[in-house]
C-alpha cells in the first residue's frame, strides 16, 4: 500500500524551480570538491520524528494526521515500515536511523519485546534488500518508559542497569543484523536532578562500566560499527553527564573509552549547552572525535530542544565547513533528528521538511567548499597567528622555552602591537559567498 500517492520521486530541478516537490540545491550526483553531494552529505531520515511522532507538546495532544495511524500494535509497526521505505525511496535518501521502540511496540515483558523486534527486523531486512537506503545507526530508547525514572545505566537501581544492558545488547545484535554503520548512545536520563539523593561517583563509574561492556559485546559478536556518544546538557534531567563534547571527551578519556567512541553532534543540543553548532563540531574535529551529526536547529526564542528542520544557511555553511575540514564524516552522516512544527500536521509536510533540510545543507556544502577553495578563513587565521611562526612564538610551539626565558622576553618588551580581529569584515565577506 502507498501512503504518499500524490507524491513522486523528488528530483533536482535547480534554484529557479517553483515545484515544491523538487530539490532546488541538493543534486545528489553533482560533484563538490571531487565528491558527489550524496557521498559527502550522507543524509538520514529519523524514524521517530518521521513515522512515530504525533506532534504533541507539554501543553497539548498530538496534531499529526498520519494515514498509517489507523492501525495499532504490530500492525501499526508494519504499516510504519511500509511507509518508511516508500518515503526513503521517494526522497532518495541513503540512510535512516531508529530507536528500538520506534520500530516495534514493547511487549508485556522483555522477551515479548524482543520477539516483536525480531519480527520487524526480519521484515526490515527484506525491505533493505530492495532499497538503497542503509542503516546509519540504531540505538536503544532507555528513557521513555517509566522504568527509567531514575536513569538507565546511571540508575540507583541495579535491576534497571541490567535491563538497560539487555536492551543495548539486543540493539547491538540488531545493528549487526542490519549492517548499521554506527551505534548511538544518547543518555536521555543519564544524569541527575539533585545532588541531595545522588551518588555521582557511583553513577559515573557505572556508566563507564556499561560502555566497556557494550564495547566488549560488540567485539564478541563481530559488530564493527563506530560507537557514538550524543552529548546534551539537559532535558530530561537537569544535569546530564554527557553535557557537551568537551565533557563527554573528558569522561571517555577518564574511563579509557576514547579509542572506542566518537561523537554524534546535534545542533540543538549544542545551543542548549550554550555553544554554537560549529563549536561542538570543531571541538570534536580537532580531537579526531567527529563521528556523525544530528542535523536540526533550535529556536533561540524558546530555548528548549525544539528539533526543527535545519533551514539556517549561515549555520549549515559553518557546519559543512567543519565537516569538509574533517575530510567528511567517514561512517557518519547527516541525520535529520528533526520534526515538523505542530502546525505542519499533514503527511506531505514530512516531504517539505526533508526537502528544506536537504537543500539547506546542500547550500551550506557548496558555500563552505567555495570558502575553502578561496582559503578565505584559512588566510585570516594564518595571519592572525603569525607571531608563532618565528622568534619567541616558534620557540613556544616547538617546546624550546620555559618561564625563565619567557620572563626575559617579556621584560625586554617596550610595546606590544596588536592587529584588529576584523570580525565585521570577515562576516561581510562570508555574506558575499552566501
Ligand atoms: C533527543 C535525542 C535523541 C537521540 C537518539 O534529544 O536527540 O533523539 O538522537 O536517542
Amino acid at each position: 500500500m502507498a501512503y504518499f500517492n500524490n507524491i513522486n520521486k523528488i528530483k533536482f530541478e535547480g534554484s529557479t524551480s517553483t515545484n515544491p516537490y523538487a530539490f532546488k540545491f541538493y543534486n545528489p550526483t553533482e560533484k563538490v570538491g571531487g565528491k558527489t553531494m550524496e557521498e559527502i552529505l550522507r543524509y538520514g531520515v529519523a524514524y521517530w520524528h518521521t513515522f512515530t511522532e504525533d506532534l504533541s507538546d507539554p501543553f497539548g495532544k498530538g496534531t499529526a494526521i498520519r494515514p498509517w495511524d489507523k492501525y495499532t500494535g504490530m500492525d501499526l509497526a508494519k504499516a510504519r515500515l511500509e511507509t518508511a521505505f516508500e518515503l526513503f525511496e521517494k526522497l532518495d535518501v541513503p540512510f535512516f536511523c531508529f530507536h528500538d521502540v520506534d520500530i516495534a511496540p514493547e511487549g508485556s515483558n522483555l522477551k515479548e519485546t524482543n520477539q516483536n523486534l525480531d519480527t520487524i527486523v526480519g521484515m526490515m531486512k527484506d525491505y533493505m534488500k530492495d532499497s538503497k537506503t542503509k542503516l546509519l545507526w540504531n540505538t536503544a530508547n532507555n528513557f521513555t518508559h517509566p522504568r527509567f525514572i531514575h536513569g538507565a545505566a546511571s540508575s540507583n537501581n541495579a535491576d534497571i542497569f541490567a535491563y538497560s544492558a539487555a536492551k543495548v545488547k539486543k540493539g547491538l545484535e540488531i545493528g549487526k543484523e542490519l549492517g548499521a554503520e554506527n551505534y548511538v548512545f544518547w543518555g536521555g536520563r543519564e544524569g541527575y536532578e539533585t545532588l541531595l539523593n545522588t551518588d555521582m561517583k557511583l553513577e559515573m563509574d557505572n556508566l563507564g562500566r556499561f560502555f566497556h561492556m557494550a564495547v566488549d559485546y560488540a567485539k564478541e559478536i563481530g559488530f564493527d560499527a563506530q560507537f557514538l556518544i550524543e552529548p546534551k546538557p539537559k532535558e530530561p534531567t537537569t544535569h546530564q553527564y554527557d553535557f557537551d563534547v568537551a565533557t563527554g571527551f573528558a569522561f571517555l578519556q577518564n574511563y579509557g573509552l576514547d579509542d572506542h567512541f566518537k561523537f554524534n553532534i546535534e545542533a540543538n543540543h549544542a545551543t542548549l549547552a550554550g555553544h554554537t553548532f560549529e563549536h561542538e563540531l570543531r571541538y570534536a574535529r580537532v580531537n579526531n572525535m567527529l563521528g556523525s551529526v544530528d542535523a536540526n536547529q533550535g529556536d533561540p526564542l524558546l530555548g528548549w530542544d525544539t528539533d526543527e528542520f535545519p533551514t539556517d544557511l549561515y549555520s549549515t555553511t559553518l557546519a559543512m565547513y567543519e565537516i569538509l575540514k574533517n575530510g567528511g564524516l567517514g561512517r557518519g552522516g547527516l541525520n535529520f533528528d528533526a520534526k515538523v512544527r505542530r502546525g505542519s500536521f499533514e503527511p506531505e509536510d514530512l516531504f517539505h521538511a526533508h526537502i528544506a533540510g536537504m537543500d539547506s545543507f546542500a547550500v551550506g556544502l557548496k558555500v563552505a567548499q567555495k570558502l575553502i577553495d578561496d582559503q578565505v578563513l584559512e588566510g585570516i587565521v594564518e595571519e592572525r597567528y603569525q607571531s608563532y611562526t618565528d622568534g619567541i612564538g616558534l620557540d613556544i610551539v616547538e617546546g624550546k622555552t620555559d618561564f625563565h626565558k619567557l620572563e626575559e622576553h617579556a621584560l625586554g618588551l617596550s610595546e606590544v602591537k596588536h592587529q584588529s580581529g576584523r570580525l565585521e569584515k570577515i562576516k561581510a565577506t562570508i555574506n558575499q559567498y552566501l
Side-chain angles (χ1 to χ4, degrees), residues 2-13 19-23 86-92 348 351-352 355:
Y3 288 95
F4 303 106
N5 281 315
N6 303 329
I7 301 171
N8 297 319
K9 197 165 179 139
I10 311 298
K11 300 212 175 92
F12 171 71
E13 288 187 7
N19 176 4
Y21 293 105
F23 294 121
E86 185 190 343
L87 182 130
F88 299 160
E89 205 216 308
K90 289 186 170 168
L91 278 177
D92 197 27
E348 58 250 51
F351 277 85
H352 297 315
I355 291 168

Side-chain angles (χ1 to χ4, degrees), residues 48 99 137 139 143 184 186 230 232 264 266 269 294 305 337:
W48 55 105
H99 302 83
W137 51 261
T139 185
F143 44 90
V184 163
W186 171 59
E230 183 178 319
K232 186 176 182 181
N264 181 41
E266 176 170 329
H269 294 182
D294 268 4
D305 196 12
D337 188 355

Side-chain angles (χ1 to χ4, degrees), residues 265-268 270-271 275-282 293-296 310 315-316 318-320 322-323 334 361:
I265 295 169
E266 176 170 329
N268 205 165
T271 48
H275 300 306
T276 59
F277 185 19
E278 57 273 18
H279 165 93
E280 288 292 82
L281 293 167
R282 175 73 64 96
V293 169
D294 268 4
N296 64 13
S315 171
T316 60
L318 296 184
M320 285 314 302
E322 296 303 324
I323 292 167
L334 292 170
F361 265 91

